[in-house]
Amino acid sequence: MPEVVVVPTEDKMKSLGADLLKRLKPGDLVMLEGELGAGKTTLVRGMAESAGWTEPLRSPTFNLMQEVPVTPPLMHADLYRVKSAWGIGLEDYLDSHICLVEWPDRLDGFFDPDNAWIVHIDFEGETARKVTIRPPL
Ligand code: ADP
Ligand code: MG
């Protein structure tokens, strides 16, 4: 069953990322769904910072992929500007990293959603977000 969490602030979104990271392991892929500004990158930033990352986590979509060399290592991909995930090199990280993918609709045929975590973020009221977490089936 999917879990639903209401997240009132940006800081709480980062805490949720820290909590979620504890449940992930290399080889896991997380599909991060939600409109621009929903908080996908903020969630990933919370994960990275909880693992000790102090450098910027780049949010701009022209950075297709950013490796975050913490333990376990993260690969943050933002596929907003690509049509497909084929050929961008993401496959090299699928086994060794926790892969965190924004705009996962571009993964069509590349990764079986049944094997992925799906995190869906909706806007809720003024500043809150409703986050639905579905572990792999
Ligand atoms: P996305 O990657 O989904 O496009 P970002 O994480 O880059 O979104 O941006 C989310 C923006 O919304 C940030 O500017 C953040 O400060 C703001 N924000 C306000 N409230 C929240 C909240 N409850 N959770 C996450 N982000 C929030
Ligand atoms: Mg983003």
Side-chain angles (χ1 to χ4, degrees):
M1 279 291 285
E3 304 148 39
V4 179
V5 192
V6 174
V7 179
T9 64
E10 176 178 7
D11 273 357
K12 290 270 198 291
M13 185 66 83
K14 291 169 87 174
S15 305
L16 179 64
D19 290 344
L20 184 57
L21 180 63
K22 293 178 194 153
R23 302 168 66 187
L24 301 173
K25 58 183 190 311
D28 284 351
L29 184 143
V30 183
M31 296 184 171
L32 295 164
E33 301 177 344
E35 294 306 312
L36 275 176
K40 303 178 294 295
T41 301
T42 301
L43 188 80
V44 174
R45 194 171 283 128
M47 291 183 184
E49 289 178 3
S50 75
W53 186 249
T54 55
E55 290 166 50
L57 190 87
R58 295 187 296 263
S59 154
T61 44
F62 48 81
N63 293 299
L64 212 51
M65 296 199 288
Q66 181 183 14
E67 187 183 4
V68 183
V70 291
T71 307
L74 312 179
M75 172 51 72
H76 178 211
D78 185 327
L79 306 182
Y80 189 67
R81 283 175 191 274
V82 301
K83 286 207 173 67
S84 159
W86 294 96
I88 62 172
L90 185 57
E91 55 272 23
D92 296 344
Y93 298 90
L94 290 178
D95 294 332
S96 53
H97 287 56
I98 295 170
C99 293
L100 308 160
V101 182
E102 300 187 36
W103 302 100
D105 50 311
R106 276 64 155 173
L107 288 175
D108 193 29
F110 179 88
F111 196 92
D112 182 356
D114 285 356
N115 296 330
W117 291 74
I118 298 179
V119 174
H120 187 93
I121 309 177
D122 285 308
F123 291 88
E124 174 102 342
E126 289 285 309
T127 60
R129 306 290 193 268
K130 188 179 82 175
V131 183
T132 306
I133 300 170
R134 199 225 64 197
L137 297 176

